[in-house]
Amino acid sequence: MEVITVYSHAVLYRESHKRKMKQNQLSKKTYQKKELHAAMLALVPIFLYHFCLVVLPSLNSLTSSFTNWNGLLTKKFIGLENYRNLFRDTDFYEAFFNNIKWMLLFITIPVICSILIGFMLSHIKRGRSTLRVMYFLPYVISAAIAGKIFAAFYNPYLGINSWLKDIGMPFLAFDWLAPSHALLSVAFVDMWHWWGFLLVIFMSALQQIDPMLYESAEVEGASELQKLRYITIPSIKSTLVFIILVSMVWSVSTFDYVWVMTKGSTGSSILSTMLYKNAFLKYKAGYACTISVFQNVLALLIFGIFNFVQRKTEDN
Amino acid sequence: MTAQKKIHKDILYFVLSIIAVLEISPVVITLLNSLRTNSEIKTAAIGFPSVPQFSNYLKAWNIGGYAQAFLNSLIISCTASCIVLAASILSGYFLARIKCRFTRLLHVYYGFSLSISTFSFLVPLYFYFSRMNLVNSRLGIILIYTATNLPFNIILAATFISEIPRTLDEAAIIDGCSTYQLIGKIIFPLAKPLITTILLIVFVSTWNEFTLANTFLQLPEIKTAATKYVFFVGERGSDLSLIYSAGIITMIPIVGIFLLLQNYFIEGLTSGSIK
């Protein structure tokens, strides 16, 4: 008797389980269909929104670069006239070389500083996170504020110059934002703000390094410098390459610190400030678009060269 | 050996502390100067206030019209971060879960969009917007900020959600959850770290943003706090104490959040870049 009830229970259970499985499979299919619907309902509008606000105007920049557009009236196609003018423009060469200078500064000084200090920080435990917070602090201050405050410091009459004279370093008290070194003074502020961010990125890369490597190096009697050269740098190579690539690409279209501090006046004009002036002060929107196309070509070139070099080194 | 090591460590601490002090000294000088009088700053650019002038802050707040500027910034940053949050979690979920040609293409598209600089679209977008009366409007800048912040946060969300096990989804599906219910009830509560990171990234970047705000918000009464400060210094450049106190006022919200959350903040802002 008992055996039969158990058996019938088992059969019933199996039957119902089978039915449930079947239902599940069926509902899974209808669910997948519904899910796809829901996905398209979300993905497509968001994509279109981004496309219309960012990619479409970017493409418009490209087509406008062949016109004499002034931003307001209709455009007239003028072929390569803007490009010809650009390559004849002496302002353009000044701006371009300033961008190159900016790039060279940013792929060396902040990168070297942040690796060295990250390496030093990896040797200590107590107080490390407090120090990290202090180094990172400038990164959260807006370029608008930092730029203007440093411009006040740089003021030749009311800024830090009088203080520099007081502490006996009058040779440092020059006009910081004068054309001959305005770019360096501005770049200094941007680097002050930027290197803390790099430091955090390098610190997390340094943490991934196997401590065994350092230990065995210590047994072999390697100096700190040798450890940095033969263990640390090779281990963080991929992060380093990425940071250099990003710094180079960003240098091409850097803008805010320069605009806030000098508005790209002589000596510190860069491609972006030249573009901005042409578009919004001189109403030469077509010409401004030409500069933006040049910036993008430059960025693509950097990407291309990086890809090429990376593939070459991987082959070897 | 150990004595030598200890000396080494002391030197290390010394050097690192000096650098840290130098690094934050501009902020400290600004803070001190914000409490000094104009003539004090003119005679010595760096120094302690003889009598702290807290009235500087009140003056800067009123003359600068900071109540309006903070309200603008708050509305713009909060709205943009909430929209970006919702859109990135939705997109991120589907990009992580559905594998088809379209989603793969979208992934590539958003990755590629990361490399589009502001200047590639700035000029045409400005003249479109001015024709549509979206220049000098909060709505206009919110629309732009949302769009520019989307790609990075969508990729961030997709990466995070793809690490949530699928079995949870399946259990919810068998229980009869619809897709949107699933996102709301299962993914959202599990994605708390993601949510705070996205909100933080978008809020801070829009609060501090200069180029777009400077272009699209030109009337003083519509400006955000950061661009208002640039405008303020341009108008009242001779009033040194006000420059410094207004600077402190403008940086206080973000620096305040930063000092409260510290390491959490740092990890949030650098997440995504690490990997």
Side-chain angles (χ1 to χ4, degrees):
Chain A
M1 187 63 180
E2 236 175 37
V3 177
I4 296 172
T5 39
V6 169
Y7 178 73
S8 65
H9 269 288
V11 169
L12 274 176
Y13 177 74
R14 212 167 62 200
E15 285 294 296
S16 79
H17 188 70
K18 257 189 194 162
R19 220 178 305 134
K20 220 176 181 178
M21 287 285 282
K22 221 175 187 178
Q23 257 179 359
N24 267 346
Q25 260 171 0
L26 214 94
S27 69
K28 207 172 177 185
K29 247 184 200 162
T30 52
Y31 176 79
Q32 272 174 348
K33 220 179 212 172
K34 270 191 197 158
E35 190 188 36
L36 206 65
H37 262 268
M40 290 303 148
L41 211 64
L43 288 175
V44 174
I46 294 170
F47 159 73
L48 283 178
Y49 174 74
H50 180 265
F51 186 82
C52 289
L53 264 98
V54 173
V55 178
L56 218 54
S58 301
L59 293 174
N60 195 292
S61 274
L62 182 62
T63 53
S64 301
S65 71
F66 300 107
T67 66
N68 66 349
W69 189 31
N70 63 3
L72 307 165
L73 300 169
T74 47
K75 313 171 181 182
K76 207 181 109 204
F77 182 78
I78 53 167
L80 290 173
E81 190 63 34
N82 280 334
Y83 290 87
R84 232 170 278 144
N85 289 338
L86 184 69
F87 290 118
R88 270 189 221 132
D89 199 337
T90 46
D91 291 350
F92 163 73
Y93 288 102
E94 195 201 333
F96 178 57
F97 286 120
N98 277 340
N99 269 98
I100 301 283
K101 269 187 221 160
W102 188 277
M103 186 185 287
L104 292 176
L105 284 173
F106 272 78
I107 58 173
T108 50
I109 297 171
V111 176
I112 292 170
C113 282
S114 49
I115 290 181
L116 274 179
I117 290 167
F119 183 68
M120 284 160 85
L121 276 174
S122 69
H123 284 70
I124 61 168
K125 280 216 173 67
R126 213 156 42 84
R128 194 200 303 188
S129 78
T130 315
L131 284 169
R132 191 172 75 148
V133 167
M134 286 166 89
Y135 297 141
F136 195 79
L137 178 75
Y139 184 72
V140 305
I141 296 172
S142 169
I145 309 166
K148 275 294 172 206
I149 284 177
F150 268 90
F153 289 161
Y154 284 150
N155 187 310
Y157 310 108
L158 306 167
I160 47 168
N161 279 356
S162 59
W163 177 74
L164 285 170
K165 278 177 198 151
D166 287 347
I167 61 164
M169 288 202 271
F171 52 89
L172 273 177
F174 45 78
D175 186 359
W176 295 84
L177 290 176
S180 54
H181 37 256
L183 192 78
L184 281 174
S185 302
V186 175
F188 172 77
V189 185
D190 200 347
M191 288 191 271
W192 167 76
H193 146 100
W194 172 238
W195 81 275
F197 180 78
L198 292 188
L199 175 76
V200 173
I201 290 177
F202 282 127
M203 275 172 80
S204 64
L206 289 173
Q207 268 166 4
Q208 316 273 322
I209 301 175
D210 187 359
M212 290 284 283
L213 286 175
Y214 287 123
E215 277 163 32
S216 56
E218 206 142 297
V219 173
E220 305 268 326
S223 70
E224 289 301 317
L225 230 86
Q226 281 170 324
K227 279 192 227 167
L228 181 71
R229 167 72 186 80
Y230 293 105
I231 301 173
T232 314
I233 305 273
S235 308
I236 58 167
K237 202 181 136 208
S238 62
T239 312
L240 184 61
V241 169
F242 173 74
I243 291 296
I244 289 177
L245 173 66
V246 168
S247 307
M248 285 178 86
V249 172
W250 281 349
S251 301
V252 173
S253 54
T254 181
F255 176 72
D256 38 13
Y257 278 93
V258 181
W259 188 259
V260 169
M261 293 181 72
T262 68
K263 292 217 159 161
S265 57
T266 16
S268 63
S269 90
I270 48 170
L271 290 172
S272 302
T273 56
M274 192 185 163
L275 182 156
Y276 206 80
K277 279 181 184 163
N278 272 301
F280 304 115
L281 302 176
K282 297 181 189 164
Y283 287 98
K284 284 158 77 177
Y287 193 55
C289 289
T290 313
I291 301 171
S292 92
V293 171
F294 180 78
Q295 283 181 320
N296 281 321
V297 170
L298 215 60
L300 279 177
L301 218 69
I302 293 167
F303 272 121
I305 292 171
F306 252 81
N307 243 325
F308 181 75
V309 171
Q310 221 164 11
R311 218 167 286 162
K312 273 270 160 150
T313 48
E314 265 165 33
D315 284 348
N316 299 334
Chain B
M1 185 68 188
T2 46
Q4 201 188 357
K5 248 188 178 167
K6 201 182 168 303
I7 292 169
H8 277 207
K9 209 146 245 188
D10 286 345
I11 294 171
L12 207 57
Y13 270 111
F14 181 72
V15 172
L16 288 171
S17 317
I18 293 276
I19 294 167
V21 169
L22 286 177
E23 182 72 2
I24 62 164
S25 62
V27 182
V28 176
I29 294 170
T30 309
L31 189 65
L32 290 176
N33 278 356
S34 73
L35 294 169
R36 301 165 81 202
T37 61
N38 248 337
S39 53
E40 268 181 301
I41 301 171
K42 268 176 195 158
T43 44
I46 299 172
F48 287 91
S50 50
V51 183
Q53 305 285 322
F54 290 105
S55 60
N56 282 348
Y57 288 105
L58 205 67
K59 226 164 120 193
W61 176 270
N62 288 331
I63 297 174
Y66 269 101
Q68 180 70 52
F70 269 58
L71 185 71
N72 290 336
S73 277
L74 212 60
I75 292 173
I76 292 165
S77 296
C78 286
T79 321
S81 28
C82 289
I83 302 173
V84 170
L85 176 71
S88 338
I89 291 207
L90 268 179
S91 293
Y93 174 80
F94 291 121
L95 288 185
R97 288 296 192 247
I98 298 175
K99 298 281 172 229
C100 66
R101 199 180 289 161
F102 179 64
T103 53
R104 242 169 275 148
L105 216 66
L106 266 190
H107 231 298
V108 174
Y109 169 82
Y110 287 125
F112 168 76
S113 303
L114 285 178
S115 61
I116 298 180
S117 77
T118 310
F119 287 97
S120 0
F121 59 83
L122 183 73
V123 180
L125 192 68
Y126 175 80
F127 290 110
Y128 286 159
F129 267 38
S130 77
R131 236 173 288 158
M132 290 189 284
N133 280 327
L134 283 171
V135 172
N136 286 323
S137 95
R138 288 191 203 109
L139 175 68
I141 198 84
I142 289 170
L143 287 175
I144 302 169
Y145 280 159
T146 311
T148 52
N149 278 292
L150 273 178
F152 179 80
N153 290 295
I154 286 178
I155 292 176
L156 197 70
T159 322
F160 185 92
I161 291 171
S162 65
E163 277 158 22
I164 297 176
R166 280 202 87 145
T167 42
L168 285 173
D169 293 24
E170 273 151 21
I173 293 163
I174 288 169
D175 287 341
C177 260
S178 78
T179 314
Y180 289 116
Q181 274 176 326
L182 171 85
I183 294 171
K185 287 186 180 154
I186 310 285
I187 301 297
F188 222 77
L190 282 174
K192 266 187 196 131
L194 172 72
I195 293 166
T196 34
T197 301
I198 292 180
L199 289 178
L200 210 61
I201 287 177
V202 182
F203 189 85
V204 172
S205 68
T206 52
W207 189 283
N208 284 345
E209 206 278 339
F210 173 73
T211 310
L212 291 166
N214 188 51
T215 314
F216 286 87
L217 306 173
Q218 293 159 344
L219 296 175
E221 61 268 21
I222 201 85
K223 280 183 185 294
T224 57
T227 45
K228 185 80 165 218
Y229 180 65
V230 175
F231 176 75
F232 178 76
V233 174
E235 295 270 286
R236 304 221 148 224
S238 53
D239 216 333
L240 286 167
S241 61
L242 286 192
I243 294 181
Y244 293 112
S245 47
I248 291 291
I249 289 176
T250 322
M251 70 169 89
I252 254 181
I254 299 289
V255 173
I257 303 174
F258 171 66
L259 291 178
L260 277 178
L261 301 175
Q262 294 196 358
N263 292 316
Y264 191 78
F265 196 102
I266 296 177
E267 260 121 54
L269 278 199
T270 52
S271 68
S273 325
I274 301 168
K275 258 183 194 187

